[in-house]
Amino acid sequence: MKNPGRPTFWLSACVVSLAVLCLALFEGLGAGIEWYPDQVHSLPTSSVTPTTVQAPPALAAYAEIWERSLFNRDRKPDPVSRNEHDTQSLAGFSLNGIAVSPALRKALFKTREGKNLSVAEGETLPNGWRIERITAQTVSLSFKSTQQELSLPVLKLPASAVH
């Protein structure tokens, strides 16, 4: 036969020992702080040289910066043209091809008159548009503060050729 008082004894013994352990930890058991001895800090012995503050430059020294345009990539003023409408238009140009290699990036255009024109990245078209970036499929152009991107035309086969 089992003794009915035995499990209660062990349970109460565990509860009492846990309570004593919690009380000991709460009172600081194991929390002894070990302080290291104070170290003597000696000041570095170096000669202190006084620093001199230079006077700021005159405002006239910044005049060149004020005269530059803020919005053009090449930091030059907008070109003045007699026929402003013609220089802004890309209507006379069509993008026919792009040549991309590690050493060269060129965009191939055809003018309204049928003349072929190849322009490298960073160069300018005759109408004033600058080629900013050339990728395998697109050409990014800029004129003054206007940006435009041209893509190669995607040629599709006629439905009769697919059969």
Side-chain angles (χ1 to χ4, degrees), residues 78-79 81 83-93 126-129 142-146 148:
D78 293 335
S81 158
N83 194 351
E84 190 75 24
H85 179 69
D86 287 344
T87 56
Q88 289 183 2
S89 175
L90 279 173
F93 292 93
N127 64 355
W129 283 83
S142 68
F143 180 77
K144 295 186 181 181
S145 60
T146 306
Q148 189 165 351

Side-chain angles (χ1 to χ4, degrees), residues 62-127:
Y62 298 109
E64 181 184 346
I65 297 170
W66 295 330
E67 293 171 359
R68 292 183 193 162
S69 175
L70 295 175
F71 301 105
N72 291 336
R73 292 180 189 254
D74 57 0
R75 307 271 305 173
K76 293 181 182 173
D78 293 335
V80 178
S81 158
R82 285 173 278 159
N83 194 351
E84 190 75 24
H85 179 69
D86 287 344
T87 56
Q88 289 183 2
S89 175
L90 279 173
F93 292 93
S94 63
L95 180 63
N96 286 352
I98 296 175
V100 178
S101 73
L104 181 70
R105 292 176 179 264
K106 281 202 171 193
L108 308 172
F109 292 92
K110 186 171 260 189
T111 63
R112 185 177 301 157
E113 296 81 26
K115 181 181 172 187
N116 292 325
L117 182 67
S118 68
V119 183
E121 193 173 63
E123 293 181 353
T124 306
L125 289 171
N127 64 355

